[in-house]
Structures are given as C-alpha cells and as structure tokens.
Amino acid sequence: MKTVEIKNLAQIESATLELADMTILTGPQATGKSIFIQLLKLLEDADNIAKSIKRYGYDWDHKWDQFLELYFGEGMGNIWTKKTNIKIDETGIDIKKIENEIYKTGKPKKEKVFLIPAQRVLTLKSGWPRNFGDYESTDPYIVKEFSENIRRLMEAGVGKGETPIFPQEGRLRSIFRDKINQSIFNGATVKLDKSGFRKRIILDVKGSKLPFMAWSAGQREFMPLLIGLYWLIPSSKTTKKESIEYVVIEEAEMGLHPKAVTSLVLLFLELMNRGYKVILSTHSPIILDVVWTIRTIQECKANPNLLLELFKLPSNKDTKTLCEKIVNNKIFKSYYFNKQENGKVVVHDISTLDPGSEDSIVSGWGGLTEFSGTAGDIVSEAVNTGECSEL
C-alpha cells in the first residue's frame, strides 16, 4: 500500500495520503485522524479483525453497519455511506470486497498493522492489562486488540520472574533505555508485584512501591506504549516482527514533558531503522520539529551526524549508523486534517514544513506553531510600542 484516497467517509470529505517511512497526521480533535488510522488497519487486516471479533463471542449478523459499530465503536455504524469512495493505489475498494475478506474461512493472514491507540491508558486496570472480553461490545476494536496483545506479552514473559520490567537488559538498546530513564522514570524501576492475590505493575522509587494510579499521568500513558514497543523490538537477534509492515501510534506525546517526547521520537526512528513504516497522529510541534530538521538535513545534503547533536546522543558506531540510515534512506510525509466551515474535513499535504511558505497551513505546520508565532508578534509589538521602547 502506497497511496490511500478517501472521499466522504465520516467527516472526511477528501483525502489523498502517500504513506512514507514516517507519516505524520496532525489537525484539531475530531477531524478524522483516528478514522483514517482505523480504516488503514481494516483495509490490511480485515479477516484477522473479523475472526478476533468472533473468537470473543460477538457477531454482526451479516449486517455491514453492525460490523462497523463493532469495529469503529458505538455510534459509528453509518460512517460508510453510498457516497463513500476508497482507493488503494488507484484501485477502488468497496464494501463487498471487505465483506469477502471478513467472511473468509480458514486461517487468517498474519497481521500487518500494529496499532497503539490514543486510549491506551485504559488498557491497564489496577496495573495489569485488561483482556479483550473485559470491554463493552461496542468499545473500539483497536483498544480491545491492543489491550489483549500487551496482556499476552506480559503473561508470556515480560511480566514474569524477578527481572525488572524497566530497565531490562536486552530490551531496547542502552541509549534508548537511558533516555527513557532520564526523561520519564527519573531513575525509578518498573517492577512486577506478586505480593497480593493479583499480579500488578508497580513503580519502585527508592524502595517505595507506587501502585499504577499513583504514577504521574505521563508515566501511566507511557507504560502500555512501552510494552507495545517491547513486542515490536524483540530482545532476540530478530530485527522486527516479520509480518508487521505498519506501526501506528496515536498521540504518543500525551502527558509527557518535551524531553520525554524527544526520547520517544528517537525510539520511532529506531522502529524505522528496523524496517517498519511508522504512522503517527500528533498534536505536538516537537515531533514536527524533528521531521523538519531531518528533511532540512536531507535537502541540504548536510552531515547526518547532526542528528547526534539534536538528540544529544553519544558518538559511536551504532548511533552514527542510525543517523546515516534515517537521513540517507528514509522518506517523511506530513498531513493536516483541516476542518472546513461546513464541518467537513479536507486533508492537506504539508510535507515541506516550509516556515516561509505563502500557504499558512504549511508555514504554521497545520496550526501547531500558529499560536507561538502570534504570541511572538504581540511580544515584539509590546516591546516596540510600550514603555520598553523607551529603555
């Protein structure tokens, strides 16, 4: 899949997106970014999704609107209308084609899209991942699936024994562990607590055991994301999960300090380095700052090792190789989901991220730098016209 074209799906009136090694989606709330992300997974993993839904005892009685409600969530059964037009690489996709996938018999194809949803904090209940059946039938499928995936991972090994969950030797390279430790956990250790009747994840701060609900908001948001990254970045010599092509992460920055967001972006570059195509939805200008910097280094044919300075990384063989691969081999695309006066959304390609562009959507990075630019103008005017001008 290289290009996705959407006409009249939910609030999205028009969108054409070329998927790159890293694809950034930005725009205000409720502009269809999550709809697009869920659609992408449905198009790639329809038979896998259908068999999972049936495995946990749900059925849609061969009614398309009921399947959409089970997948996208309550109230979403009518988002795909007669006016909806979906194309993948210029080939039309209709309802019948997807229905043929979801009614297939036999073993499903291996999953291609690993999706980490924005609602990931809901996946940990009392410090342990919830199972698929613990959710309401019409909660979004992507939340239930992700929760079940990380529960299985915890049961299979991450949440066993006396070894800390984080930091853990062999899981993530030391430079990434150090960045996460400094910017998110501040030297604390994430452990498995088995002292009660149920296993739970706790934070050990100098010998004090903090239950999950006592963590900072950012730490709670990050923990399920970290477990997902553990699955994507195996501790063995295997580079990546064989079948997974796309890693999709919604609003990775939630609750995190800018330093922590920078650490996350570094991990996302590592995912790209391992061969995944990464799709991020975000409201963080920091993520676009990084993409803008990388694109500028690429366009100017500058030294890739400038990224070492950007991320404050030690200069060694591994870090230099990472920077060179990202700058020399990877393509970045950015899109803005723009809500029109009629309430419909039109998606704009803002990939150049050119601050000097005459198009305000491009120069303002889809509104992410608009407020700071306005604030700067007002501060300048205040200095020039107020009492400061007399000093």
Side-chain angles (χ1 to χ4, degrees):
M1 184 186 301
K2 294 181 179 179
T3 304
V4 182
E5 184 178 342
I6 303 171
K7 300 286 187 184
N8 302 310
L9 177 69
Q11 64 267 57
I12 302 175
E13 182 177 66
S14 174
T16 301
L17 292 87
E18 180 184 344
L19 302 180
D21 296 296
M22 178 177 280
T23 305
I24 308 294
L25 314 178
T26 187
Q29 283 81 8
T31 51
K33 299 186 298 296
S34 186
I35 294 289
F36 170 77
I37 282 168
Q38 291 177 80
L39 173 69
L40 179 68
K41 180 163 180 63
L42 178 60
L43 295 171
E44 290 285 20
D45 294 331
D47 64 331
N48 199 297
I49 291 165
K51 286 178 172 60
S52 291
I53 291 174
K54 287 182 177 180
R55 186 185 309 124
Y56 291 99
Y58 304 115
D59 190 21
W60 55 94
D61 195 28
H62 285 233
K63 295 178 181 177
W64 178 243
D65 61 333
Q66 291 186 19
F67 175 79
L68 292 179
E69 191 130 338
L70 281 171
Y71 178 66
F72 285 98
E74 186 174 0
M76 304 294 281
N78 296 318
I79 65 171
W80 194 308
T81 70
K82 292 180 179 179
K83 293 183 178 180
T84 301
N85 190 316
I86 310 293
K87 290 183 179 180
I88 302 297
D89 299 333
E90 300 185 354
T91 299
I93 305 293
D94 59 20
I95 291 173
K96 290 297 181 184
K97 187 167 184 177
I98 298 177
E99 286 184 325
N100 288 339
E101 285 291 314
I102 63 181
Y103 291 126
K104 272 184 178 178
T105 58
K107 189 176 181 181
K109 293 179 293 187
K110 290 187 177 181
E111 185 182 35
K112 288 186 178 181
V113 179
F114 188 83
L115 203 162
I116 301 178
Q119 308 95 322
R120 57 189 168 272
V121 72
L122 301 177
T123 63
L124 293 181
K125 184 178 181 180
S126 301
W128 194 255
R130 299 164 65 184
N131 63 52
F132 194 103
D134 191 42
Y135 294 86
E136 296 295 328
S137 61
T138 51
D139 287 337
Y141 172 85
I142 61 170
V143 178
K144 294 184 282 191
E145 182 206 39
F146 176 68
S147 188
E148 180 67 17
N149 281 340
I150 64 172
R151 185 192 68 80
R152 289 177 178 176
L153 182 62
M154 292 298 294
E155 295 285 3
V158 174
K160 286 186 175 182
E162 302 301 321
T163 303
I165 297 170
F166 182 87
Q168 187 177 134
E169 291 290 334
R171 290 194 180 271
L172 308 181
R173 285 197 269 171
S174 60
I175 56 169
F176 304 131
R177 294 200 303 269
D178 291 345
K179 288 287 184 182
I180 292 170
N181 196 11
Q182 294 163 12
S183 62
I184 298 176
F185 291 119
N186 300 307
T189 303
V190 182
K191 292 183 176 180
L192 179 66
D193 179 35
K194 297 184 287 186
S195 59
F197 293 104
R198 294 182 61 183
K199 292 185 291 185
R200 61 175 184 162
I201 300 169
I202 57 100
L203 196 62
D204 188 322
V205 183
K206 297 180 179 179
S208 297
K209 294 182 178 180
L210 295 185
F212 184 68
M213 290 308 295
W215 298 16
S216 74
Q219 289 169 337
R220 292 199 303 271
E221 292 282 355
F222 176 72
M223 192 63 221
L225 174 54
L226 175 64
I227 300 171
L229 291 172
Y230 275 178
W231 187 82
L232 291 163
I233 304 175
S235 56
S236 66
K237 293 182 180 180
T238 305
T239 302
K240 65 185 286 287
K241 294 295 181 180
E242 184 180 357
S243 68
I244 300 296
E245 294 182 17
Y246 299 96
V247 175
V248 186
I249 305 171
E250 291 191 279
E251 300 181 32
E253 72 275 4
M254 283 197 294
L256 295 177
H257 186 276
K259 285 186 177 179
V261 177
T262 305
S263 300
L264 274 184
V265 177
L266 189 58
L267 278 168
F268 301 155
L269 297 183
E270 172 68 0
L271 290 174
M272 294 167 62
N273 181 43
R274 287 172 174 260
Y276 297 110
K277 292 185 183 297
V278 177
I279 301 174
L280 304 175
S281 74
T282 184
H283 299 292
S284 172
I286 293 171
I287 292 176
L288 285 177
D289 278 340
V290 172
V291 174
W292 176 48
T293 302
I294 293 173
R295 283 181 61 94
T296 303
I297 293 172
Q298 290 175 329
E299 290 167 3
C300 296
K301 295 181 172 54
N303 190 335
N305 291 331
L306 288 170
L307 289 183
L308 298 177
E309 191 175 333
L310 179 67
F311 290 106
K312 295 181 171 57
L313 295 175
S315 179
N316 57 45
K317 182 181 178 180
D318 287 340
T319 57
K320 286 181 178 180
T321 299
L322 174 63
C323 294
E324 288 168 4
K325 285 185 176 180
I326 293 300
V327 170
N328 295 333
N329 302 324
K330 303 301 180 182
I331 298 172
F332 296 77
K333 300 287 287 186
S334 303
Y335 296 93
Y336 175 56
F337 285 62
N338 185 21
K339 192 172 186 177
Q340 311 294 297
E341 290 184 1
N342 63 2
K344 296 294 184 180
V345 172
V346 175
V347 177
H348 298 265
D349 187 337
I350 61 169
S351 298
T352 63
L353 299 175
D354 179 7
S357 173
E358 294 182 0
D359 185 341
S360 61
I361 291 176
V362 176
S363 61
W365 295 357
L368 291 184
T369 64
E370 181 179 345
F371 185 82
S372 59
T374 302
D377 291 341
I378 291 174
V379 168
S380 179
E381 183 177 352
V383 169
N384 292 328
T385 61
E387 293 184 5
C388 292
S389 62
E390 299 174 3
L391 298 179

